Amino acid sequence: MKFKKNIALSDSGFIFDPTTGDSFNTNPVGLEIVQMLKQDNTPQEISAYFLKNYAVDESTFEKDLYDFINMLSKFKLTEHNEKEKN
Amino acid sequence: MIKAQYERPIIQRLNVGLMNKYGTKTEFNPVTHIDGNAVKELMETYGSPLFVLSEKTIRQTYKDATRAFKTRYPKVQFAWSYKTNYINAVCNVFHQEGSWAEVVSGFEYLKALHNNVPGDKIIFNGPDKKEVDLKLAIEHGSLIHIDHLDELYMIKELVAGGTKRPRVAIRVNMDTGIYPMWDRFGFNYEDGQAWDAINKIMLSGQMDLVGLHCHIGTFMLTPNAYGVAASKLSQLALSVMKKFKKKIEYIDLGGGFASKNTLKGSYIQGIDVSPTFDQYAEAISTSILNAGFTEDSLPLLILESGRALIDEAGYLLGSVISNKRLSDGRRATILDFGVNILFTSFWYDHKISPAQHFGQYSEDTVLYGPLCMNIDVVREHISFPPLKKDDQVVVHTVGAYNMTQWMQFIAMRPAVIMIDMDEKPHLIRKRETINSIQDEEVMPLYLEKFKIS
Ligand SMILES: Cc1ncc(COP(=O)(O)O)c(C=O)c1O
């Protein structure tokens, strides 16, 4: 799973997909996750970063991250590489 | 190192140019206190979910309503509609403000007597008055509003040969331009049934026809319908005066004024469409004052408003049980109360606020109750901040009908508290226990003792 490279991100959490014309907004935690995904961080790396820097416990964050990544994929903001598909 | 505050990540598609059906943003301004009491502490003390009533709001709303009418018409009397909320503490706030009682069953009648309402200040409505109820009402000199001919004849039989003259009125149904017409109750005006019933009463010589009553519907958004109703009842009263030389003491226009709730499916918030007490009062008083009464024959105007007087004073506090993602991508939040105790979510899109602070981000959410049933939807669409398990919410404008129509289904009904004028909370109905239910059950002996083999 990868965040699509051509998607525009603003610092305020505005997301624009030029291929579909769809736009989205996300909150600061969501924005940070998207930025880390864009830089090819794995979910494990993202979790480690959040647990270290935010007042959140592991199970809550994992639930939320899983759900958030699901939403990104639902909104077609991610692409899957061949390996993951199999 | 102090860690940064965490808020669940959310992402939302922006629908440019589409009408927003997810409510307004003000909905997620947090409500952390009610009349000076922290929501969190109230729930710690009395449990979740919890109904809260604001005595301040009840009294203020009552004063607004009476002011609107008394500044326009010389003789006005409110009668508290017991079915709307008959917890005794609530009734007594209204009675203390000067309200009579309006009841629709033997059970409610006994409740009013128990609350020390004098018999002649109890209005007895409804189609199902039993013989024992009528006897009691006649005994206490209450105002019996006859709903149908069978009732009229039952009263005649009850007083035959006795000395008591019951004080009665008839309920009239009529066309006020509002559909559906509530013609199930009372005697119809247009086809002459009402006039016939009046004649039967007057000619019986056994009863005192003291009033005329109607209740044209509920959550009525057009004040003018009351103008029409007031004018038709006035015409009947004037006809009685003309034919029988008998003054009708009062005209009772029932209830039905809208509260500030938002009807389901409406894009406009209730607070922006519901008429004010002033608008209802203007339509009604103009009609009666112009009907042709002489100054000394003007009838007393009785009102039986329920929801408009108590809805805003009621809150339901509850907690988040869990979050889910529906297959269409919408967030679903499951709360610890559902349609079992928030019956009015079948009619209204209740305003719901989080009870703690959040950032400015929100997500389209469905709010479900905890019942194992598909119908258990508290709000179908709401733009809501990312709540997590154990976060708390405040539902607004729930004072009417929920605390009387609530169901005991798979769990006990919650406690009800009232916050007094000095902002002190009082328990006015205890949370039910298993005994509240079990005590009424009876086990046949042969089913009592056995072992599962
Ligand atoms: C006879 C009568 N009076 C008063 C009321 C109170 O109505 P509302 O709560 O709409 O004011 C009702 C409610 O149905 C009623 O039937």
Side-chain angles (χ1 to χ4, degrees):
Chain A
M1 196 278 313
K2 274 195 160 130
F3 201 72
K4 280 192 194 158
K5 287 291 180 226
N6 64 340
I7 281 170
L9 268 186
S10 86
D11 288 343
S12 65
F14 182 75
I15 300 173
F16 180 65
D17 181 348
T19 35
T20 61
D22 284 341
S23 50
F24 307 87
N25 75 352
T26 183
N27 59 350
V29 168
L31 180 63
E32 248 185 301
I33 296 175
V34 171
Q35 283 164 339
M36 291 184 79
L37 285 171
K38 235 185 153 181
Q39 289 156 16
D40 292 332
N41 286 288
T42 64
Q44 289 74 17
E45 286 164 336
I46 296 174
S47 276
Y49 167 82
F50 270 86
L51 294 179
K52 186 164 158 236
N53 294 292
Y54 280 83
V56 62
D57 61 81
E58 190 170 348
S59 69
T60 303
F61 187 74
E62 269 172 23
K63 247 184 347 207
D64 290 351
L65 181 63
Y66 172 80
D67 178 61
F68 186 71
I69 289 176
N70 247 333
M71 288 307 286
L72 295 180
S73 128
K74 204 160 238 150
F75 288 145
K76 304 200 168 38
L77 296 173
T78 56
E79 55 198 0
H80 297 265
N81 57 33
E82 284 311 307
K83 237 193 227 154
E84 272 174 322
K85 267 190 186 154
N86 296 332
Chain B
M1 182 190 104
I2 296 174
K3 293 189 173 184
Q5 198 183 338
Y6 175 80
E7 180 177 83
R8 172 156 66 76
I10 52 181
I11 178 167
Q12 169 139 281
R13 194 200 303 270
L14 300 170
N15 293 327
V16 195
L18 274 183
M19 191 159 182
N20 178 16
K21 65 179 174 190
Y22 297 108
T24 55
K25 206 175 146 151
T26 52
E27 280 204 84
F28 51 87
N29 285 337
V31 172
T32 56
H33 287 72
I34 297 171
D35 286 4
N37 286 259
V39 166
K40 230 182 180 53
E41 281 168 30
L42 290 176
M43 287 165 92
E44 266 164 31
T45 312
Y46 301 100
S48 174
L50 173 69
F51 277 105
V52 178
L53 288 156
S54 159
E55 186 177 343
K56 257 189 212 173
T57 307
I58 299 177
R59 290 192 193 269
Q60 190 53 52
T61 310
Y62 187 82
K63 288 196 167 77
D64 291 347
T66 45
R67 183 204 36 78
F69 281 89
K70 287 186 174 167
T71 51
R72 290 180 170 85
Y73 191 78
K75 294 187 269 181
V76 181
Q77 178 63 52
F78 277 81
W80 177 236
S81 156
Y82 264 47
K83 71 160 97 54
T84 308
N85 190 320
Y86 45 56
I87 295 180
N88 294 330
V90 171
C91 297
N92 278 359
V93 171
F94 283 104
H95 297 323
Q96 205 180 45
E97 289 288 338
S99 206
W100 294 0
E102 183 268 331
V103 304
V104 293
S105 67
F107 158 69
E108 287 191 353
Y109 189 87
L110 291 177
K111 251 182 168 276
L113 282 184
H114 167 93
N115 287 331
N116 293 320
V117 181
D120 63 348
K121 295 185 166 49
I122 303 177
I123 293 170
F124 201 166
N125 280 319
D128 184 21
K129 304 179 194 81
K130 312 263 190 266
E131 200 177 300
V132 280
D133 306 331
L134 284 171
K135 275 187 186 154
L136 202 61
I138 295 168
E139 191 67 30
H140 284 86
S142 298
L143 301 163
I144 302 171
H145 288 185
I146 301 174
D147 189 85
H148 46 74
L149 278 182
D150 292 301
E151 186 181 336
L152 201 163
Y153 286 108
M154 179 145 64
I155 297 173
K156 273 176 80 166
E157 278 168 30
L158 284 174
V159 293
T163 52
K164 283 268 180 192
R165 275 176 76 80
R167 300 165 72 217
V168 303
I170 57 162
R171 173 154 176 180
V172 180
N173 69 59
M174 60 182 78
D175 184 357
T176 58
I178 296 294
Y179 299 94
M181 210 167 109
W182 283 31
D183 54 3
R184 265 182 50 198
F185 307 100
F187 302 90
N188 186 254
Y189 176 84
E190 284 81 16
D191 72 3
Q193 280 180 37
W195 183 241
D196 273 357
I198 288 171
N199 279 279
K200 284 194 169 69
I201 293 169
M202 293 305 297
L203 297 173
S204 81
Q206 295 164 295
M207 305 174 221
D208 227 353
L209 180 72
V210 288
L212 295 170
H213 172 236
C214 70
H215 172 76
I216 56 175
T218 195
F219 215 89
M220 306 286 291
L221 294 170
T222 29
N224 195 46
Y226 286 95
V228 174
S231 131
K232 289 187 173 172
L233 289 192
S234 298
Q235 287 321 310
L236 275 184
L238 289 164
S239 304
V240 172
M241 213 153 353
K242 196 160 164 216
K243 178 167 177 190
F244 298 100
K245 306 279 170 290
K246 156 95 184 149
K247 184 187 157 188
I248 292 294
E249 287 172 31
Y250 68 86
I251 282 181
D252 177 347
L253 285 177
F257 299 161
S259 69
K260 301 287 181 277
N261 255 310
T262 304
L263 285 176
K264 249 194 155 112
S266 168
Y267 281 112
I268 313 165
Q269 303 277 308
I271 197 141
D272 298 325
V273 287
S274 297
T276 58
F277 288 120
D278 286 294
Q279 288 170 290
Y280 291 117
E282 185 65 28
I284 292 170
S285 52
T286 306
S287 269
I288 308 180
L289 290 172
N290 291 321
F293 291 103
T294 57
E295 207 168 304
D296 59 344
S297 69
L298 270 180
L300 172 71
L301 168 62
I302 296 182
L303 298 155
E304 304 169 350
S305 288
R307 68 186 73 233
L309 291 181
I310 186 110
D311 235 357
E312 277 86 69
Y315 302 85
L316 174 59
L317 317 184
S319 315
V320 173
I321 296 174
S322 173
N323 282 299
K324 285 188 183 170
R325 183 68 65 186
L326 299 178
S327 58
D328 64 3
R330 276 177 309 160
R331 168 141 296 253
T333 294
I334 301 163
L335 303 165
D336 65 354
F337 59 85
V339 296
N340 52 335
I341 57 170
L342 193 64
F343 182 84
T344 51
S345 48
F346 286 129
W347 311 335
Y348 301 133
D349 281 338
H350 277 293
K351 177 179 164 181
I352 303 183
S353 313
Q356 47 275 302
H357 289 277
F358 283 95
Q360 82 231 65
Y361 295 90
S362 68
E363 213 178 358
D364 300 338
T365 307
V366 195
L367 297 179
Y368 289 117
L371 311 180
C372 308
M373 302 173 90
N374 239 352
I375 55 159
D376 194 20
V377 185
V378 174
R379 280 289 299 266
E380 271 142 36
H381 302 282
I382 186 170
S383 177
F384 222 52
L387 296 193
K388 58 182 187 307
K389 183 173 161 28
D390 297 329
D391 277 345
Q392 294 160 335
V393 299
V394 177
V395 189
H396 301 256
T397 326
V398 304
Y401 296 102
N402 285 303
M403 282 154 260
T404 47
Q405 296 197 42
W406 51 3
M407 288 173 264
Q408 186 274 307
F409 176 66
I410 72 171
M412 303 304 127
R413 282 172 285 211
V416 182
I417 63 164
M418 183 154 74
I419 302 176
D420 72 14
M421 303 302 284
D422 299 321
E423 307 199 329
K424 187 170 174 301
H426 301 265
L427 183 64
I428 60 169
R429 192 178 193 276
K430 290 187 252 176
R431 173 177 292 271
E432 288 175 352
T433 64
I434 184 164
N435 290 340
S436 326
I437 313 305
Q438 302 274 69
D439 283 356
E440 306 306 318
E441 293 194 22
V442 184
M443 183 67 72
L445 267 183
Y446 72 96
L447 289 175
E448 213 161 77
K449 288 200 177 101
F450 65 89
K451 273 202 179 115
I452 298 177
S453 48

